Amino acid sequence: MKKNIVLIGFMGSGKSKVAREIGRRLKLEVVVTDDLIEAQEGQTVGQIFASKGEPYFRDVEQAVIKDVARRQGVVIDCGGGVVLRKENLQVLKANGIVFHLQASPEVIYQRIKAEPHRPLLKVPDPLGRIKELYQQRLPLYDQADHIIDANDASIEGPVVEILKRI
Ligand code: S3P
């Protein structure tokens, strides 16, 4: 069986760019869980949070993860909150190698402060919110099979590191 390559990590850790580059180099399909959720719901992630709430989004996300985790030999770019349900990591690990792209809250803030589309960060103090969520989630992200340093602005380091470890 060909294992999936699964990327998890905080918003702005570079999962999407790294996933696309790995897909390109290995000629593998890249599956983006947020895109599947948006296609299925006919709404953006922001609209789903606003109209139906986060628990609804997490239910849809869990169903999508269960589905994509059954596939083989694909790169899976997961939304930053997938670790909030432990079943998600279980199913992803069963069929894949899970990589945590780890970047510090300060680096994350610098990367995403100009991007308006993340509902969880539409608050008066986004850096404070990032730090708080980061502290809560770090032990969950660290349950990945591999932890990859993603603090550098270039994605080359994480890409090479992941390719070395598969
Ligand atoms: C979320 C991360 C987002 C998206 C949603 C919730 C989170 O994905 O799924 O806004 O809880 O961390 P990205 O990590 O791709 O931004």
Side-chain angles (χ1 to χ4, degrees), residues 5 7 13-25 30 75 77 99 101 111 148-150 152-163:
I5 298 172
L7 302 187
S13 57
K15 293 170 298 215
S16 300
K17 284 185 184 158
V18 171
R20 276 198 297 272
E21 185 57 17
I22 288 179
R24 196 183 69 77
R25 292 196 194 181
V30 178
V75 182
D77 169 12
F99 294 90
L101 292 191
R111 280 187 197 156
I148 304 290
D149 183 344
D152 198 272
S154 162
I155 60 162
E156 187 60 18
V159 168
V160 168
E161 198 53 41
I162 290 170
L163 293 177

Side-chain angles (χ1 to χ4, degrees), residues 10-11 84 105-106 120-121 123 125-139 141:
F10 208 84
M11 297 170 255
L84 296 174
E106 288 75 15
L120 289 175
L121 303 179
V123 292
D125 175 19
L127 177 59
R129 181 91 176 110
I130 290 170
K131 286 183 177 165
E132 185 191 332
L133 289 173
Y134 188 86
Q135 285 311 317
Q136 288 166 9
R137 292 181 181 183
L138 196 56
Y141 290 135

Side-chain angles (χ1 to χ4, degrees), residues 11 15 34 45 49 57-58 61 79-81 118-120 137:
M11 297 170 255
K15 293 170 298 215
D34 278 349
V45 169
F49 267 76
F57 174 83
R58 298 299 173 200
E61 182 173 60
R118 293 184 166 88
L120 289 175
R137 292 181 181 183

